[in-house]
Amino acid sequence: AGDTLTIAAGTTLDAKDYWILVEGSLVATDATFFSSTPGSGQNGTSAGVWNGIIIAPGGDAVLEGVTISDARTCIYVGGRLDATSLTLSHCLIGMEITGTANLTGLNGTDLQSEGIRSTGTLNITNSNISNTGMAISSSGYLDVDGLAIVDSGAGVYVTAGSATIDDLEVVNLSM
């Protein structure tokens, strides 16, 4: 807590079957987080072999041009996340939010269960989510401005809280 870890641009981090817990600050630009541990996911993917990046309550992360793959949950946000051009792929859940996430240019693909599950605050702009069971499930505060959902089981599911949705494109739902 209180410390900052900066990941140098171009870094590739193989988490194997561990996780990354952020209780202070994480700053990463043009980095890749994945697991080389063989998995037994759908279609031979490694989804679910590591626990992903966990931003604890009170922790924060600034990610730009980062790719996260092969995790149970690519990224859990209990604190705060500010991300630009974030790619999440081959995870069981792309992102779970109980804190605050500000996402611009998210690309979530091949997320087996859910793209984003939020009970916190989610602001998402100019993003794409494809090939997932549920693109976004929200019971907190949701603000969408420019989102394409393609080849998913369901689009946006709001059960409580509030939602403002502008510029939503939905193609090929299979619910």
Side-chain angles (χ1 to χ4, degrees), residues 119-152:
T119 58
T121 299
L122 170 59
N123 300 298
I124 184 167
T125 304
N126 300 328
S127 297
N128 300 288
I129 299 174
S130 64
N131 197 22
T132 186
M134 168 77 68
I136 296 178
S137 171
S138 177
S139 61
Y141 173 83
L142 174 63
D143 186 9
V144 174
D145 186 10
L147 175 64
I149 299 170
V150 179
D151 296 329
S152 295

Side-chain angles (χ1 to χ4, degrees), residues 93-98 113-120 135-138:
I93 298 171
M95 185 179 301
E96 184 166 357
I97 304 161
T98 58
S113 177
E114 292 179 69
I116 299 174
R117 179 189 301 166
S118 179
T119 58
I136 296 178
S137 171
S138 177

Side-chain angles (χ1 to χ4, degrees), residues 7-13 29-33:
I7 306 293
T11 297
T12 298
L13 191 135
T29 303
D30 299 325
T32 300
F33 299 86

Side-chain angles (χ1 to χ4, degrees), residues 33-165:
F33 299 86
F34 77 107
S35 175
S36 65
T37 302
S40 57
Q42 294 177 356
N43 302 321
T45 67
S46 296
V49 297
W50 69 294
N51 285 325
I53 297 175
I54 301 165
I55 303 170
D60 64 86
V62 176
L63 308 178
E64 185 174 333
V66 168
T67 297
I68 305 168
S69 64
D70 307 316
R72 284 182 185 90
T73 299
C74 284
I75 188 163
Y76 168 83
V77 182
R80 180 181 177 92
L81 169 65
D82 293 300
T84 304
S85 300
L86 176 65
T87 298
L88 308 176
S89 67
H90 300 287
C91 295
L92 299 177
I93 298 171
M95 185 179 301
E96 184 166 357
I97 304 161
T98 58
T100 299
N102 300 302
L103 311 173
T104 300
L106 170 75
N107 183 29
T109 185
D110 299 316
L111 305 167
Q112 292 182 9
S113 177
E114 292 179 69
I116 299 174
R117 179 189 301 166
S118 179
T119 58
T121 299
L122 170 59
N123 300 298
I124 184 167
T125 304
N126 300 328
S127 297
N128 300 288
I129 299 174
S130 64
N131 197 22
T132 186
M134 168 77 68
I136 296 178
S137 171
S138 177
S139 61
Y141 173 83
L142 174 63
D143 186 9
V144 174
D145 186 10
L147 175 64
I149 299 170
V150 179
D151 296 329
S152 295
V156 178
Y157 185 63
V158 178
T159 58
S162 66
T164 302
I165 301 174

